Amino acid sequence: MPQPLITLTTDFGEASPYVAAMKGVIFSFAPEVQIVDLGHQVPPQDVWHGAYFLAQAVPFFPPHALHVAVIDPGVGTQRRLLYCEAGPHRLLLPDNGLITFLADAQPLRRVVHLAEPNYWRPTPSRTFHGRDILAPVAARLALGEAPERLGPPLEPVELHRLPIAQGKATPQEIEGSIVFVDHFGNLITNLGMDLLAQAGWTPTPGSELRLSIPAAHPCRWVQTYGEAASGELVALFGSGGFVELAVVNGSAAARLNLPRGSMITLRR
Amino acid sequence: MPQPLITLTTDFGEASPYVAAMKGVIFSFAPEVQIVDLGHQVPPQDVWHGAYFLAQAVPFFPPHALHVAVIDPGVGTQRRLLYCEAGPHRLLLPDNGLITFLADAQPLRRVVHLAEPNYWRPTPSRTFHGRDILAPVAARLALGEAPERLGPPLEPVELHRLPIAQGKATPQEIEGSIVFVDHFGNLITNLGMDLLAQAGWTPTPGSELRLSIPAAHPCRWVQTYGEAASGELVALFGSGGFVELAVVNGSAAARLNLPRGSMITLRR
Amino acid sequence: MPQPLITLTTDFGEASPYVAAMKGVIFSFAPEVQIVDLGHQVPPQDVWHGAYFLAQAVPFFPPHALHVAVIDPGVGTQRRLLYCEAGPHRLLLPDNGLITFLADAQPLRRVVHLAEPNYWRPTPSRTFHGRDILAPVAARLALGEAPERLGPPLEPVELHRLPIAQGKATPQEIEGSIVFVDHFGNLITNLGMDLLAQAGWTPTPGSELRLSIPAAHPCRWVQTYGEAASGELVALFGSGGFVELAVVNGSAAARLNLPRGSMITLRR
């Protein structure tokens, strides 16, 4: 049996004591776990950002990890807290769309509504369910508690999902939207390898493209960031398998000033 | 016996190698510990911020955790380094007021002045006692060293404390100060549940209040952030049990521009 | 046998899912390791910053730790990935100069070019070798895989090094450059204790110096930050053994506006 593993993903930042309090509660109930930070810099209350983050992180973990995600602007209201099994992965998170991108790739196999207060801290606050509900439930699950004891089952279709758009591709043109802006200023789209392969959109590395946002920008198709000149705008398949826009040794986000959700078109 | 646990709280940030160096020293002396980050984004040299952070984090941990806190603008001067037992919790920190808020809630049971160089790194620097004194002492304590061997005892009353103000409450009005501004821009006051209950100040959820800072702002009393309209200024009991001001889906700190220490009055 | 230990140092930030994905891969191959964050706030693509960071962090770790560093603007190009033994320490990093400062103090004993794909994730991406090559290799090494199986040996002289300048010292004057700007705004130079001792440059604590950058600033030589008045510009030996410029309770970087690489002269 490997050491039980609990990961934490939040929008709490690290200057506030909220992540620390959750860790304390987890260790109080399960001193033998290893707690692993995935990231606490999800922008405040940005469920979309957190949902994309989880989809790009959770699938790389072994199934024995338990993932706790707290981006929870609706804390204390009627929104539900969930235990989810997505493919082989197990998560605890609010039912506010955080599961959206992950569930797209890893089908939801089981969902439980966390409704059984016996597994919570006594008299939980109305404003910090990460500490008072999710942390103690995570500790109990890590110690082997059966998920069905945490509350009633839910049908996956009952869950809240974010409205995510699909990209479009023809052999000459792909059209999609910016889904995520990463730490390097790379702009990651919803245009996946499969979609482009089906449409026969397979540009040669080094070939010239035209990016319309709608203003036109020259853009080179490459296989990796360092393949063009410093400062050049490039398009490539990123490590998640989606087209991204990047500036070599720079930031495409700063260059193009394109916020998340912006539409883009790439033409040969 | 659970795995020994050492937590770290600093103002070192993560772009500098100081936290990393402390971790290396701890593992050199005690490879079997688990090191847990509480937070390294305490604003530089902000002892007050660190003191509040510890008080909201440490009490949630099990007693076998050992907490090392380094917000230490006086490093290398005459300020003392301490081992403290606050309630069931054990800490290592400088004697500069960092213990203030925690000791308010968790009485100091034992204090030791770290004066025994045999437990330090040889020839410690004058500028980084976190690495050269606290880290090796933490490792030794985690391995079972008796605290009394680390130096002479101190009386708790000898410790440096920050001057913290008490709030005031009547059935019609509460008056206090901003103690902490959190990552979401929530403004947390020194007005606790007990104080308000004693004064009979128990507003109905949804009722209108008036905030004076001294300019007057309408403000709604709620039980949790999502109970009012987006953008509305609300007051509520936060997860630490104190009145806080918040803006739904926004930042009260940005809206009101109230720095820590500001006086506020809330009237029915 | 202590628990296997893998440290991570990157420029990935924590709002992006890249660190998390690496942790997932490591745990997938080696569930029994402890993963320790050294820092993920190295400025994007700043190899110099990362190289200095490693040199000030890695030497404090016990030899059983394995250090993975990913500041890798050349990912997917011809730059090599390396396994290095520097003194007793073991690292995995790109061959782009990241090893420079550490190798200065800890001679390279063995270097292996990571060229054996059997130890990688299948079909690695061109843009994220941290996840697809370094993480699985780290897990295998932590489990005891022999480094020579990872690829062919390299001579240490074949490695890419950053061009680092040496400082100069006379009994009256020292001249060097800013090597690192830390989280507190301290400006750390390349002027080491040994160099100054050889030149007989040993100012008395409290003595007045003149800093030329080239504009002249009065500056006091001290032993630690808190030894001068708040706001005063001081020079001292920092915790890494090099002369640094600091402002008591403030930031020398903000006061002097000196970027990394700037030349400075200190005269008695």
Side-chain angles (χ1 to χ4, degrees):
Chain A
M1 280 290 293
Q3 183 180 17
L5 195 61
I6 294 177
T7 83
L8 300 181
T9 304
T10 76
D11 63 349
F12 293 165
E14 291 173 61
S16 296
Y18 306 129
V19 173
M22 285 186 66
K23 292 180 177 178
V25 172
I26 292 171
F27 282 122
S28 291
F29 286 96
E32 58 273 62
V33 301
Q34 183 174 170
I35 298 180
V36 174
D37 295 303
L38 297 198
H40 302 293
Q41 302 294 344
V42 171
Q45 308 173 338
D46 190 339
V47 174
W48 182 290
H49 188 113
Y52 179 87
F53 185 111
L54 291 175
Q56 294 295 326
V58 165
F60 296 98
F61 275 82
H64 76 278
L66 175 66
H67 305 280
V68 181
V70 195
I71 296 98
D72 191 15
V75 59
T77 64
Q78 290 301 312
R79 73 87 189 81
R80 297 176 289 208
L81 290 175
L82 308 173
Y83 166 81
C84 292
E85 295 178 6
H89 305 289
R90 303 178 299 147
L91 300 97
L92 291 170
L93 36 59
D95 180 20
N96 59 11
L98 257 186
I99 198 72
T100 303
F101 289 100
L102 183 67
D104 235 33
Q106 308 265 342
L108 290 173
R109 298 188 297 111
R110 176 152 68 156
V111 184
V112 173
H113 176 200
L114 304 182
E116 179 45 73
N118 282 336
Y119 295 94
W120 308 350
R121 293 185 72 227
T123 59
S125 71
R126 292 286 299 268
T127 56
F128 193 3
H129 288 180
R131 179 192 70 191
D132 297 338
I133 300 180
L134 296 179
V137 167
R140 264 75 176 246
L141 283 168
L143 295 181
E145 189 59 65
E148 57 268 27
R149 304 197 56 176
L150 303 172
L154 290 174
E155 289 301 317
V157 296
E158 298 178 65
L159 266 54
H160 187 81
R161 301 282 185 112
L162 302 173
I164 52 178
Q166 301 302 318
K168 297 176 203 164
T170 68
Q172 292 308 316
E173 181 177 305
I174 56 178
E175 187 185 335
S177 59
I178 306 298
V179 173
F180 193 79
V181 181
D182 83 3
H183 183 67
F184 298 96
N186 299 323
L187 304 169
I188 301 170
T189 72
N190 60 348
L191 296 158
M193 279 185 177
D194 289 354
L195 176 75
L196 273 57
Q198 285 164 19
W201 203 84
T202 53
T204 321
S207 65
E208 296 284 352
L209 304 175
R210 175 180 295 267
L211 167 70
S212 301
I213 59 168
H217 296 258
C219 177
R220 187 182 303 277
W221 184 261
V222 294
Q223 290 179 286
T224 191
Y225 310 112
E227 259 177 16
S230 188
E232 198 171 351
L233 178 67
V234 297
L236 70 167
F237 285 124
S239 60
F242 290 88
V243 172
E244 64 185 60
L245 303 172
V247 165
V248 180
N249 298 325
S251 161
R255 170 84 64 85
L256 299 175
N257 197 21
L258 274 188
R260 191 177 72 204
S262 304
M263 299 299 298
I264 64 142
T265 305
L266 270 171
R267 288 192 190 81
R268 296 188 178 223
Chain B
M1 279 290 294
Q3 183 180 17
L5 194 61
I6 294 177
T7 82
L8 300 180
T9 304
T10 76
D11 62 349
F12 293 166
E14 291 173 62
S16 296
Y18 306 128
V19 173
M22 285 186 66
K23 292 180 178 179
V25 172
I26 291 171
F27 282 122
S28 291
F29 286 96
E32 58 273 62
V33 300
Q34 184 175 172
I35 298 180
V36 174
D37 295 303
L38 296 198
H40 302 293
Q41 303 294 345
V42 171
Q45 308 173 337
D46 190 338
V47 174
W48 181 291
H49 188 113
Y52 180 86
F53 185 110
L54 291 175
Q56 292 296 325
V58 165
F60 296 98
F61 275 81
H64 77 278
L66 175 66
H67 305 280
V68 181
V70 195
I71 297 98
D72 191 15
V75 60
T77 64
Q78 290 301 312
R79 73 87 189 82
R80 297 175 288 206
L81 290 174
L82 307 173
Y83 166 81
C84 293
E85 295 178 4
H89 304 290
R90 303 178 299 148
L91 299 97
L92 291 170
L93 36 58
D95 180 20
N96 60 10
L98 256 186
I99 199 70
T100 304
F101 290 100
L102 183 67
D104 234 33
Q106 308 266 341
L108 290 173
R109 297 189 296 113
R110 175 151 71 156
V111 183
V112 173
H113 175 200
L114 304 182
E116 179 45 74
N118 282 335
Y119 294 94
W120 308 352
R121 292 185 72 228
T123 60
S125 71
R126 291 287 298 267
T127 56
F128 193 3
H129 287 179
R131 179 191 70 192
D132 297 338
I133 300 179
L134 296 178
V137 167
R140 264 75 176 245
L141 283 168
L143 295 181
E145 189 59 65
E148 58 268 25
R149 305 197 53 176
L150 302 171
L154 290 174
E155 289 300 317
V157 296
E158 298 179 64
L159 267 53
H160 187 82
R161 302 283 185 111
L162 302 173
I164 53 178
Q166 301 302 319
K168 297 176 203 162
T170 69
Q172 292 308 316
E173 182 176 304
I174 56 177
E175 187 184 336
S177 59
I178 306 296
V179 173
F180 193 79
V181 180
D182 82 3
H183 182 67
F184 298 96
N186 300 322
L187 303 169
I188 302 169
T189 72
N190 59 349
L191 295 158
M193 280 184 174
D194 289 354
L195 176 75
L196 273 58
Q198 285 163 20
W201 202 85
T202 53
T204 320
S207 64
E208 296 284 351
L209 305 175
R210 176 180 295 267
L211 167 69
S212 301
I213 59 169
H217 296 258
C219 177
R220 188 182 301 279
W221 184 262
V222 294
Q223 291 179 286
T224 190
Y225 310 112
E227 260 177 15
S230 187
E232 198 171 351
L233 178 67
V234 297
L236 70 167
F237 285 123
S239 60
F242 290 89
V243 172
E244 64 185 60
L245 303 172
V247 165
V248 180
N249 298 325
S251 162
R255 170 83 65 85
L256 298 175
N257 198 22
L258 275 188
R260 192 177 73 203
S262 304
M263 299 299 299
I264 64 144
T265 305
L266 271 171
R267 289 191 189 82
R268 296 187 179 226
Chain C
M1 279 289 294
Q3 183 179 18
L5 195 62
I6 293 177
T7 82
L8 300 180
T9 305
T10 75
D11 62 350
F12 293 165
E14 291 173 62
S16 296
Y18 306 129
V19 173
M22 285 186 66
K23 291 180 177 178
V25 172
I26 292 170
F27 282 122
S28 291
F29 286 96
E32 59 272 62
V33 301
Q34 183 175 171
I35 298 180
V36 174
D37 296 302
L38 297 198
H40 303 293
Q41 302 294 346
V42 171
Q45 307 172 339
D46 190 338
V47 174
W48 182 290
H49 188 113
Y52 180 87
F53 185 110
L54 291 175
Q56 293 295 326
V58 165
F60 296 98
F61 275 82
H64 76 278
L66 176 65
H67 305 280
V68 181
V70 195
I71 296 99
D72 190 15
V75 59
T77 64
Q78 290 301 313
R79 72 88 189 81
R80 297 176 288 207
L81 290 175
L82 308 173
Y83 166 81
C84 292
E85 295 178 4
H89 305 289
R90 302 177 300 148
L91 299 96
L92 291 169
L93 36 57
D95 180 20
N96 60 10
L98 256 186
I99 199 70
T100 303
F101 289 101
L102 183 66
D104 235 34
Q106 308 265 343
L108 290 172
R109 297 188 298 113
R110 176 151 70 156
V111 184
V112 173
H113 175 199
L114 304 181
E116 179 46 72
N118 282 337
Y119 294 93
W120 308 351
R121 293 185 72 228
T123 60
S125 71
R126 292 286 299 267
T127 56
F128 193 2
H129 288 180
R131 179 192 69 191
D132 296 339
I133 300 180
L134 296 179
V137 168
R140 264 76 175 245
L141 282 168
L143 295 181
E145 189 59 65
E148 58 268 26
R149 304 197 57 175
L150 303 171
L154 290 174
E155 289 301 318
V157 296
E158 298 179 65
L159 267 53
H160 187 82
R161 302 281 185 114
L162 302 172
I164 52 177
Q166 301 301 320
K168 297 175 204 164
T170 69
Q172 292 308 316
E173 181 176 305
I174 55 177
E175 187 185 335
S177 58
I178 305 297
V179 172
F180 194 79
V181 180
D182 82 4
H183 182 67
F184 298 96
N186 299 322
L187 303 169
I188 301 169
T189 72
N190 60 349
L191 296 158
M193 279 185 176
D194 289 353
L195 176 75
L196 273 58
Q198 285 163 20
W201 202 85
T202 52
T204 320
S207 64
E208 296 283 351
L209 304 175
R210 175 180 294 267
L211 167 70
S212 301
I213 58 170
H217 296 258
C219 177
R220 187 182 304 277
W221 183 262
V222 294
Q223 291 179 286
T224 191
Y225 310 112
E227 259 177 15
S230 187
E232 197 171 352
L233 178 67
V234 297
L236 70 167
F237 285 124
S239 60
F242 291 89
V243 172
E244 64 184 61
L245 303 172
V247 165
V248 180
N249 298 325
S251 162
R255 170 83 63 85
L256 299 175
N257 198 23
L258 274 189
R260 190 177 74 205
S262 304
M263 299 298 299
I264 64 143
T265 305
L266 271 171
R267 287 191 190 81
R268 296 184 179 229

